[in-house]
Amino acid sequence: MEYLEFELPIKELEEQYNKACNIGQESDVDVTATCRQIEKKLRDTRKEIYKNLTAWQRVQLSRHPNRPYTLDYINAICGDTFLELHGDRNVKDDKAMIGGLGKIEDQSFMFIGQQKGYNTKTRQYRNFGMANPEGYRKALRLMKSAEKFGLPVVTFVDTPGAYPGLEAEERGQGEAIARNILEMTRLKVPVIVVIIGEGASGGALGIGVGDKVMMLENTWYSVISPESCSSILWRSWEYKEQAADALKLTAKDMKKQKLIDEIVKEPIGGAHSNREETFATVKDAILEAYEEFKNLSPTDLVNQRMDKYLNMGVFKG
C-alpha cells in the first residue's frame, strides 16, 4: 500500500496495530484491549483526515498509483462481456483511448475511456492516458456505431490532458476534440459521463459531453492542472496548492457551479481503498442514469442536452 503525505498518521497507526496483533499471536499476552483501542483511533483518524481534504489533496488522491483505471471499471462492471474495438480507420489504434461493447446486467452499452498504465512499461504503452487525435476519432467512430444500433454510451474520463506533441498537432488534435464536442451534443442515444480520476482540459472534454455527467468524490475537472496554473501565474510549481483552491476544480465545486450533475461517493480512503465497493457504486450510478434517459425520444434527448449546456454560465443580475 502506498501512502500520500497527508496519510502518514494513518500509516503509523496501521503499523502500531499490526505490531500489537503480532505480539498477541506470538506470545501469551492478551492485547485485545490495546488492538481495539488502536483500531478505534485508526477509524477516527481516517474519518477526520478524509472529511477535511483540501482541493490539492483531492488532486493527489485522483492520481494515486493504486487508483482503479478505466479498464478496471469496465472489467469489474461487465465481466467477460466486454469486447474491445480498435482503430480510427484513418491513422492507427490509439492505446491511450479504449472502447468497446459490454453489458451491465441485460443492457448493452458502448464504453469509451482514457486508460493509464500501471508501471513504466504500460505507462509508455498507454502514453500516460494522453490520447492523440486518432484516439478521439476512434471514440467518435464508436459513438456513431452506438447511435446506429441504438446503444447508450458510457465514457470514463481520466486524463492529464490530450497529447500536446508536434505530431498530434499535425494530425489535427484541436479539430478532433472540437468535432467530438459538437457530435456528442447531438448524439441520439443517452450519453453518461463518469470522471474517475483526472479531468484535465480539452483532453477530458473530448469525451466529456453527456446527458448525465458524474464525478467521483476525489476527482478533479478543470481547464488546467494546478501545477501548470501555478507555473503560469507564479512562474513556479511551488504554489500548486493555492492554484488548486483558486481553480475550484473539486467535485463539490463543480456541482455548485452546475457544471456536473452528480457526485458519486467513494469509500473512506478513496476509490482504491475498497475497489469492489467503488465498482458497485459506479455500476449502480450508471444504471440509475440510464433509467432516467432511456424512455426519452431522440429529439427530446438532444434538446435537453443542448439546453443543459447552453444554460451553463448564465446568471441573472
Side-chain angles (χ1 to χ4, degrees):
M1 185 74 175
E2 293 191 43
Y3 294 87
L4 300 167
E5 202 180 326
F6 66 88
E7 294 176 314
L8 291 179
I10 296 169
K11 184 186 178 186
E12 274 175 41
L13 284 167
E14 281 182 350
E15 282 169 359
Q16 281 178 25
Y17 178 73
N18 290 333
K19 262 183 205 165
C21 290
N22 286 342
I23 289 167
Q25 282 168 0
E26 288 164 12
S27 64
D28 296 333
V29 182
D30 184 12
V31 289
T32 318
T34 314
C35 284
R36 270 205 206 113
Q37 210 176 339
I38 300 170
E39 202 175 359
K40 186 188 180 300
K41 197 176 177 189
L42 183 58
R43 263 201 315 271
D44 295 343
T45 308
R46 247 204 201 108
K47 262 184 202 161
E48 196 54 39
I49 286 174
Y50 294 114
K51 195 173 71 184
N52 302 303
L53 290 175
T54 64
W56 174 243
Q57 285 168 344
R58 289 197 193 277
V59 170
Q60 287 177 293
L61 270 179
S62 77
R63 298 169 175 165
H64 198 287
N66 300 333
R67 197 173 173 87
Y69 297 140
T70 296
L71 274 174
D72 298 318
Y73 283 95
I74 291 173
N75 291 331
I77 291 169
C78 303
D80 55 5
T81 66
F82 181 62
L83 170 70
E84 191 176 346
L85 301 167
H86 299 273
D88 71 336
R89 295 191 180 161
N90 202 353
V91 179
K92 61 175 182 179
D93 183 41
D94 189 341
K95 305 298 181 196
M97 184 77 76
I98 58 135
L101 294 160
K103 274 188 171 185
I104 305 182
E105 290 169 7
D106 287 331
Q107 175 61 45
S108 294
F109 290 86
M110 180 66 82
F111 290 95
I112 296 162
Q114 287 110 350
Q115 174 68 22
K116 292 177 174 175
Y118 302 93
N119 52 34
T120 309
K121 198 177 174 182
T122 55
R123 280 181 196 129
Q124 285 175 323
Y125 178 70
R126 298 286 181 189
N127 201 26
F128 299 86
M130 297 189 289
N132 276 282
E134 50 271 22
Y136 292 101
R137 290 180 180 129
K138 167 164 83 169
L140 181 58
R141 178 174 80 77
L142 298 184
M143 288 182 225
K144 286 292 186 185
S145 295
E147 182 182 52
K148 184 180 174 182
F149 297 109
L151 298 174
V153 175
V154 175
T155 70
F156 292 109
V157 176
D158 185 14
T159 180
Y163 183 57
L166 184 63
E167 62 274 33
E169 296 300 337
E170 284 171 349
R171 291 198 298 274
Q173 185 71 286
E175 188 277 338
I177 291 171
R179 169 77 51 196
N180 276 25
I181 293 170
L182 171 68
E183 296 290 351
M184 284 184 90
T185 56
R186 51 193 194 194
L187 273 183
K188 294 181 175 70
V189 289
V191 184
I192 299 155
V193 179
V194 191
I195 295 156
I196 57 169
E198 301 183 271
S201 194
L205 279 180
I207 57 165
V209 177
D211 300 296
K212 187 81 169 243
V213 180
M214 303 184 273
M215 275 177 87
L216 265 69
E217 215 176 347
N218 298 310
T219 61
W220 62 278
Y221 197 20
S222 172
V223 72
I224 194 169
S225 71
E227 294 94 330
S228 302
C229 176
S230 170
S231 65
I232 290 170
L233 295 182
W234 289 281
R235 308 236 175 263
S236 156
W237 279 30
E238 298 283 300
Y239 302 92
K240 53 188 183 288
E241 294 179 39
Q242 271 170 264
D245 279 333
L247 283 166
K248 303 284 179 217
L249 42 64
T250 65
K252 210 177 267 182
D253 294 321
M254 286 284 132
K255 182 85 169 71
K256 201 175 170 186
Q257 306 279 6
K258 297 190 170 68
L259 297 171
I260 63 155
D261 305 297
E262 193 181 306
I263 299 171
V264 180
K265 291 281 283 177
E266 288 186 26
I268 289 177
H272 57 283
S273 65
N274 188 339
R275 286 174 161 233
E276 277 60 45
E277 189 185 322
T278 306
F279 296 146
T281 312
V282 169
K283 178 183 170 180
D284 292 344
I286 291 169
L287 287 173
E288 213 172 286
Y290 175 61
E291 283 299 315
E292 202 179 315
F293 298 105
K294 71 173 185 183
N295 296 323
L296 289 179
S297 71
T299 312
D300 289 345
L301 201 59
V302 173
N303 287 342
Q304 209 169 294
R305 195 184 305 141
M306 290 272 199
D307 289 344
K308 175 186 154 180
Y309 281 91
L310 286 169
N311 285 327
M312 283 181 184
V314 173
F315 68 94
K316 292 179 176 71

